[in-house]
Amino acid sequence: MDFLLLKGSEVAQYCSLHLPDFIKQHQLFKEGKLKEALEVGFLEFDQKLLEKEALNEMKIIAGIDEEEDEEGEISKRFKQCRLRHTMEML
C-alpha cells in the first residue's frame, strides 16, 4: 500500500473539521493573543496530524479500510515522517 493514498484533500478536510476548534481551545487564543495563537496553534496542530488518531480519521475520510492498509504501510510511513521531522527540529 502506497503512502500516497492519503492526499492533500484528506488532510485539508481533516484540518477544516478540527483546526478551528483546536485554535479556539488554545490558551493563547483565550488570552486574546490571536497572532501568537494562530502561529503556535498551527505548528502544534501540524504535529497532531502525525498522531495515530488523526491518521486513522484521515484514512476514513480517504475511504481506506484496514484491508487496503493491512500491512499498516501508511502508519509506518507517517511514523518515518514524524521521526524525520523531529530530527530536523533538533
Side-chain angles (χ1 to χ4, degrees):
M1 185 57 45
D2 194 334
F3 170 69
L4 296 176
L5 285 175
L6 285 178
K7 298 177 258 177
S9 59
E10 286 93 18
V11 177
Q13 189 172 351
Y14 179 85
C15 290
S16 73
L17 293 170
H18 298 287
L19 182 59
D21 288 334
F22 186 84
I23 298 291
K24 290 177 195 173
Q25 297 300 317
H26 201 283
Q27 186 60 37
L28 289 169
F29 184 87
K30 293 176 181 178
E31 294 171 2
K33 300 176 182 175
L34 302 182
K35 181 180 179 205
E36 293 89 349
L38 288 172
E39 290 172 350
V40 173
F42 184 80
L43 292 172
E44 289 176 2
F45 192 79
D46 193 49
Q47 286 296 309
K48 183 176 176 59
L49 293 175
L50 301 174
E51 295 175 2
K52 187 174 184 171
E53 181 181 305
L55 175 59
N56 287 339
E57 187 169 339
M58 285 185 276
K59 286 188 324 192
I60 291 168
I61 291 169
I64 299 170
D65 61 26
E66 292 303 316
E67 290 178 15
E68 289 182 276
D69 190 31
E70 62 188 60
E71 299 288 322
E73 188 64 26
I74 293 173
S75 296
K76 289 176 195 173
R77 299 285 180 128
F78 261 71
K79 287 178 186 175
Q80 290 170 353
C81 288
R82 184 177 198 170
L83 177 61
R84 199 171 318 129
H85 181 72
T86 301
M87 296 302 290
E88 289 172 359
M89 299 209 39
L90 296 177

